[in-house]
Amino acid sequence: MAKDTDGDGDASAGAGASAGAGADDAQAWDARLGWAFGLIADDPVERGAALDLLADAQGNVQGALGRFNELWHSTLPLGGQGQWRDPALLKAYERYVEAGRSSLPDALWNRPPGDIRAWQGLPYALLFLEWEARYPQEWTRHAKKWGTKQSLIRDVAVAGHGEPVRAKLTDLVETVVQRAYRCKDREYVRVARAVDSEDLRRRLDSAARSGNPWARRHAGYVLWLLDHPEAPHTIHVWQNWIAAEASE
């Protein structure tokens, strides 16, 4: 997965590649980011503590990036290849990468190639998406990266997940269809199709029959797409479905 490039605040004047995801085992991920599960806690005090830790981690990333950019500019006379042979610049870059591995969303960038179902960072990708789904305002204030959200949704929208992950993805689809549209929410159609099940359809049917106008419209459309796997999910298809519903 590439670094978020949707223009919502990523600033890296010199770093050619972002701090990113490594191929570490689950224990290493938990050691660096276990505190992040507090971001989706029901208890606002616990969430507040996690937000404080996130702010510290993001501050470390920005500090390391600032130092790297200073050295990048000071070594420009060496030329591109010469710069990357400069020990101080290399060390600064390593510190920037290492800082990002302990922060969100940086730790989720540049996932190693391979099956996402075997990636040890998958629980944190799901955490990031659940945070945006359950506490969208906090996510927006502290970690708004629409491109990262889109990339993660597309990455996890594959068949063959184990039951705990399928259950989490089903919960996410149910949560998202019940709210007013947020940027990149349309990508969750991919997830719904990947984890289609009787349980998901029951939840969507319940939402489509609820008193929530957003849920009725969104859930009804997703159900229609599940019944028509050949139909592309495009704005034209959406508009035609809306028009057909209005005429009934």
Side-chain angles (χ1 to χ4, degrees), residues 26-42:
Q27 287 185 333
W29 276 89
D30 292 344
R32 294 194 307 270
L33 286 165
W35 55 266
F37 283 96
L39 296 169
I40 55 175
D42 294 330

Side-chain angles (χ1 to χ4, degrees), residues 1-209:
M1 180 192 348
K3 183 178 181 181
D4 190 337
T5 56
D6 55 10
D8 56 11
D10 285 7
S12 178
S18 71
D24 293 338
D25 61 22
Q27 287 185 333
W29 276 89
D30 292 344
R32 294 194 307 270
L33 286 165
W35 55 266
F37 283 96
L39 296 169
I40 55 175
D42 294 330
D43 182 359
V45 175
E46 187 175 349
R47 290 205 312 280
L51 287 171
D52 288 341
L53 292 173
L54 176 63
D56 290 342
Q58 291 176 337
N60 291 337
V61 173
Q62 290 304 309
L65 177 59
R67 177 57 177 160
F68 172 82
N69 283 337
E70 290 175 2
L71 289 169
W72 176 269
H73 288 294
S74 69
T75 57
L76 280 174
L78 298 176
Q81 294 183 352
Q83 283 181 285
W84 287 110
R85 288 193 293 267
D86 183 88
L89 182 69
L90 290 175
K91 186 65 174 178
Y93 180 70
E94 290 172 2
R95 288 175 175 168
Y96 165 57
V97 170
E98 188 58 33
R101 283 154 54 86
S102 298
S103 184
L104 290 176
D106 309 59
L108 303 173
W109 294 335
N110 297 328
R111 175 173 68 85
D115 188 345
I116 192 170
R117 295 169 298 181
W119 180 41
Q120 298 301 324
L122 178 57
Y124 292 93
L126 296 174
L127 181 157
F128 190 73
L129 294 176
E130 183 176 354
W131 182 25
E132 191 276 335
R134 293 183 58 195
Y135 302 108
Q137 299 309 314
E138 291 180 6
W139 182 92
T140 299
R141 285 196 301 271
H142 300 283
K144 184 187 69 160
K145 291 291 180 285
W146 300 118
T148 299
K149 173 185 171 180
Q150 175 178 269
S151 295
L152 290 176
I153 296 172
R154 290 182 175 183
D155 283 355
V156 301
V158 296
H161 285 294
E163 187 52 39
V165 174
R166 285 179 59 86
K168 181 67 69 177
L169 293 174
T170 299
D171 289 344
L172 282 170
V173 173
E174 181 182 28
T175 299
V176 169
V177 299
Q178 296 189 63
R179 69 181 183 185
Y181 180 83
R182 279 172 58 85
C183 185
K184 310 303 182 182
D185 275 358
R186 68 188 305 273
E187 301 293 344
Y188 276 104
V189 167
R190 300 171 184 261
V191 176
R193 282 174 158 170
V195 300
D196 188 9
S197 68
E198 290 185 6
D199 177 43
L200 175 61
R201 288 176 181 246
R202 280 195 299 269
R203 298 194 202 187
L204 291 174
D205 185 65
S206 177
R209 296 172 183 272

